[in-house]
């Protein structure tokens, strides 16, 4: 039986070139559908990975209660003083490892579209920089406090105009020099501008207030101690969250939205491609009707006729899927872009195709191939044997 | 039998094939209609903006504040008719997820500048202006939370805080407004700037943006430049744009959505072009001898040509119309869902584009087979039997 199926499949596959254009069209349509799906999946995946790769679980982020993002939060000098005495915070030479930070939004220009977008300027201390894992200055140098100097993240520099190394940018009535480029290993922080906290407080009229406080924890579990402390101190009205969870939460809505748009679009287009595939395979069955009937007449089973036809459809969908994946891989994988993140500023990320996504693309392609072959295959299996002896 | 019936009979000869091809076209035009409508929805903020209104924001970024004193200084400038200002309050009701587009405004000048946009009875406007804790809410917002005129409602802000540490501001619903344009939802909340400003702990005497009307829309550029020039050397340099450009800048933040939409639509249309083109070519090839017979019977070559082209057009328009009408129907249903987050519409331009695409599809898929049929020699036609 297996042998029969294989040989009938072989015959029908060998006849593919006879319907070259129709077969190519089917391959191409499946390829387009798979490429569109993979583009959306890679976009969603890339955004999620960038945000989930940011932040560590032994750093606590402290915001004013209910603020939910750094942009909306304000913490006074008094709040910061209380937090310095909090439980669970690691110490360096007896000093608590804590970083008060400002997060102000400034304009930049997106290179690809020329449109004006929001970019974050973060005021922080060296302590704060040290809390962001390995930070390297790849060009120039770090800012010097008190001098209105900025360093620019590698991703921001690549995606936006207006912040080139050694250039000057004007905020209000003050000029800022861009003195260096920093890298943080592809995290969200590379989409930021950094300067010294006191300078930003001064130039943006923030007095001694900050927007967020980061605290290095003695261990990831110590966040519970810090939360207890914050809840029980009547002077504080703050929310404590691990830095890792903060970015993870921010990734969810945007990456889900992209998925929610991508799959229905791909399925709708897939239905269109399915109609094309059905047309092709039905035509193939009609063209080979005599051959199939003849095979049946000389003793091949109807099951082999069924699988022979199905294999043609599957072959087309596999080829289409591979082509679509290749197109998506060469055009979209690694493509850098940006969108509005949870902090109301741009987050630079790149499209990331991976094994799990390719599997989803393969499922879509094979789904079209299976359904597109199944119904014509039934027709092939039911062809009357007598057809072999008819004239046409 | 007229040519039209003959075309139809030819189209529907293989019912399954006709159905499948129509379905593929249907899908493509359906996607086209939905995505174009969505694209237009993103532009709605810009397209529905008043053309004689300008928005002044901080040059650094619109989230940076402007001194409240700027309002009077702008008001006194040449070419400025009315000016008012708005501050984002980041408001929500009870839970952060019950988010409300809320602004603190100067009630009197706000009503002057936006009188054509929001509709409510004069006595409600008067009551709102009089009560320092009064607010205006959109009818949709009021409906969502079951608010009625005179209700005392606690509104929370995720930004501003009162001196006692409270983030809740008690306000009274003094007016419930409708939107003057059906396509815009009546949502949002407007409270008194003074009420917010006096109690808040930081950011006092600053505002978000200044909105102004000019005495003549042709003066817009001139007025905008004059304002920006006036403040250019202050610590709060300004950027003055038309309301449309200001609204547009929010959508631009999301990324190049227009490009994504046109890529998807392009991919979908390309797919059906291939499917339909091949199906047409196939069905004409299959009928080679038949076309030979028609010619032998005395049908002119030009008639045969137009009949094949007509078949392609018939296919494109049949599937295309069903697809576009379905998209239109779905958009109509969606926009009548209360609280639907997008300002969806199905403007005439989408219809026209869809018709244009149907014509293009018909030509591209029909021209080649029609030309083949036109050239077909009787000898070739019958040799192929």
């Amino acid at each position: 039986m297996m042998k029969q199926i294989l040989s009938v499949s072989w015959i029908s596959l060998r006849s593919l070139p006879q319907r070259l254009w129709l077969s190519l069209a089917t391959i191409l349509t499946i390829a387009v559908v798979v490429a569109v799906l993979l583009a959306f999946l890679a976009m969603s995946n890339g955004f999620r990975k960038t945000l989930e790769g940011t932040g560590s679980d032994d750093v606590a982020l402290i915001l004013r209660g209910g603020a939910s993002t750094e942009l909306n939060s304000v913490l006074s000098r008094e709040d910061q003083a209380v937090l310095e005495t909090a439980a669970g915070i690691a110490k360096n030479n007896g000093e608590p490892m804590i970083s008060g930070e400002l997060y102000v939004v400034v304009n930049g220009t997106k290179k690809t579209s020329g449109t004006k977008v929001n970019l974050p300027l973060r005021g922080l201390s060296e302590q704060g920089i040290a809390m962001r894992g390995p930070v390297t200055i790849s060009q120039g140098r770090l800012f010097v406090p008190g001098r209105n100097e900025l360093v620019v993240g590698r991703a921001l520099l690549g995606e936006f105009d207006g912040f080139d190394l050694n250039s000057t940018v004007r905020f209000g009535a003050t000029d800022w020099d861009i003195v260096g480029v920093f890298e943080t290993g592809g995290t969200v922080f590379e989409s930021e501008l950094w300067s010294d906290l006191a300078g930003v407080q001064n130039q943006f009229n923030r007095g001694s207030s900050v927007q967020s406080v980061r605290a290095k924890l003695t261990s990831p579990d110590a966040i519970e101690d810090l939360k207890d402390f914050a809840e029980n101190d009547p002077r504080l009205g703050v929310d404590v969250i691990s830095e890792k969870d903060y970015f993870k939460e921010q990734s969810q809505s945007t990456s889900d939205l992209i998925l929610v748009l991508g799959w229905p679009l791909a399925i709708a287009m897939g239905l269109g491609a399915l109609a094309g595939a059905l047309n092709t395979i039905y035509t193939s069955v009609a063209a080979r009707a005599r051959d199939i009937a003849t095979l049946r007449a000389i003793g091949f089973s109807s099951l082999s006729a069924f699988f022979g036809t199905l294999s043609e459809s599957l072959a087309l969908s596999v080829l289409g899927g591979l082509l679509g994946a290749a197109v998506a891989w060469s055009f979209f994988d690694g493509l850098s872009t940006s969108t509005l993140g949870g902090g109301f500023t741009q987050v630079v990320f790149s499209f990331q195709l991976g094994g799990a996504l390719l599997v989803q693309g393969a499922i879509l392609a094979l789904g079209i191939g299976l359904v597109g072959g199944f119904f014509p295959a039934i027709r092939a299996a039911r062809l009357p044997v007598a057809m072999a002896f008819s004239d046409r | 039998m007229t040519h039209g019936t003959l075309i139809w009979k030819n189209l529907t000869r293989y019912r399954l094939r006709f159905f499948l091809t129509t379905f593929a076209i249907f899908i493509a035009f359906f996607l086209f209609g939905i995505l174009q409508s969505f694209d237009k929805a993103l532009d709605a903020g810009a397209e529905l903006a008043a053309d004689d209104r300008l928005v002044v924001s901080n040059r650094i970024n619109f989230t940076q504040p402007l001194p409240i004193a700027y309002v009077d200084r702008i008001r006194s400038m040449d070419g400025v008719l009315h000016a008012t200002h708005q501050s984002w309050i980041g408001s929500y009701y009870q839970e952060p997820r019950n988010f409300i587009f809320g602004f603190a405004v100067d009630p009197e000048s706000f009503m002057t500048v936006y009188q054509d946009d929001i509709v409510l009875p004069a006595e409600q406007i008067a009551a709102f202006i009089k009560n320092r804790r009064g607010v205006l809410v959109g009818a949709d917002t009021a409906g969502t939370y079951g608010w009625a005129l005179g209700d005392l409602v606690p509104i929370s802000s995720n930004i501003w805080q009162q001196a006692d540490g409270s983030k809740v501001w008690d306000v009274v619903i003094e007016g419930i407004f409708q939107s003057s344009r059906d396509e815009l939802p009546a949502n949002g909340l407007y409270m008194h700037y003074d009420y917010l400003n006096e109690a808040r702990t930081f950011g006092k005497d600053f505002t978000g943006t200044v909105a102004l009307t000019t005495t003549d829309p042709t003066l817009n550029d001139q007025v905008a430049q004059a304002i920006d020039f006036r403040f250019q050397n202050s610590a709060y340099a300004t950027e003055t744009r038309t309301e449309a450009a200001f609204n547009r800048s929010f959508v631009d933040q999301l990324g190049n959505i227009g490009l994504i939409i046109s890529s998807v639509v392009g991919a979908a249309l390309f797919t059906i072009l291939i499917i339909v083109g091949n199906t047409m070519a196939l069905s004409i090839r299959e009928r080679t001898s038949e076309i030979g017979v028609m010619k032998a019977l005395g049908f002119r070559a030009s008639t045969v040509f137009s009949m094949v082209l007509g078949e392609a057009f018939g296919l494109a328009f049949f599937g295309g119309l069903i697809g576009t009408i379905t998209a239109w129907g779905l958009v109509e249903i969606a926009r009548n869902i209360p609280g639907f987050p997008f300002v969806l519409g199905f403007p005439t331009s989408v219809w026209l584009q869809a018709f244009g695409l149907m014509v293009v599809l018909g030509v591209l898929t029909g021209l080649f087979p029609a030309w083949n049929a036109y050239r077909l020699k009787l000898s070739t036609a019958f040799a192929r039997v």
Side-chain angles (χ1 to χ4, degrees), chain A residues 64-65 107 116 118 205 339, chain B residues 60-61 159 167 236 239 254:
Chain A
R64 203 205 56 213
N107 282 338
K116 207 171 265 189
N118 289 357
N205 262 330
T339 188
Chain B
I60 299 173
N61 182 265
I159 305 174
K167 285 167 289 183
Y236 300 92
E239 177 177 18
L254 297 175

Side-chain angles (χ1 to χ4, degrees), chain B residues 224-242:
Chain B
Q225 280 171 21
I227 293 171
D228 292 345
F229 181 74
R230 172 159 189 177
F231 300 114
Q232 69 176 347
N233 289 320
S234 78
Y236 300 92
T238 59
E239 177 177 18
T240 307
R241 287 174 278 185
T242 61

Side-chain angles (χ1 to χ4, degrees), chain A residues 135-163:
Chain A
V135 177
T136 51
I137 300 289
S138 57
Q139 291 176 65
R141 59 176 173 82
L142 193 64
F143 56 81
V144 174
R147 274 211 220 158
N148 291 344
E149 291 178 341
L150 294 176
V151 288
V152 54
R154 187 193 55 86
L156 188 151
L157 187 65
E159 203 68 19
F160 307 101
D161 275 330
F163 300 98

Side-chain angles (χ1 to χ4, degrees), chain B residues 352-368:
Chain B
L352 292 178
Q353 284 173 325
F355 281 126
L357 286 170
M358 289 172 215
V359 173
V360 170
L361 182 66
V363 170
L364 287 181
T365 57
L367 204 57
F368 185 65

Side-chain angles (χ1 to χ4, degrees), chain A residues 25 28-29 64-65 72 74 104-107 115-116 118 172 205 268-269 272 275 279 282-283 339-340 346, chain B residues 16-17 20-21 27 31 59-61 63-64 158-159 161 167 202 235-236 239 252-254 271 274-275 278:
Chain A
L28 211 52
T29 53
R64 203 205 56 213
N72 290 335
V74 178
V104 298
V105 184
V106 300
N107 282 338
T115 49
K116 207 171 265 189
N118 289 357
N205 262 330
M269 289 179 65
N279 250 346
Y282 272 123
T283 310
T339 188
L340 201 61
Q346 296 292 308
Chain B
L16 185 64
R17 184 189 288 169
L20 290 171
T21 316
I27 290 281
L31 283 178
R59 182 160 217 92
I60 299 173
N61 182 265
T63 58
Q64 298 296 331
N158 62 23
I159 305 174
Q161 203 170 6
K167 285 167 289 183
F202 59 94
Y236 300 92
E239 177 177 18
D252 286 343
Q253 304 277 346
L254 297 175
T271 314
I274 296 174
I275 294 174
N278 263 292

Side-chain angles (χ1 to χ4, degrees), chain B residues 3-45:
Chain B
H3 291 166
T5 6
L6 194 55
I7 291 173
W8 182 251
K9 293 265 176 204
N10 273 332
L11 264 180
T12 51
R13 176 179 323 192
Y14 297 106
R15 273 207 217 121
L16 185 64
R17 184 189 288 169
F18 175 67
F19 169 77
L20 290 171
T21 316
T22 305
F23 182 74
I25 302 174
F26 160 81
I27 290 281
F29 278 86
F30 173 72
L31 283 178
F32 174 79
I34 293 287
L35 289 175
Q36 287 299 320
S37 170
F38 185 71
D39 195 30
K40 291 277 184 299
L42 291 175
D43 283 342

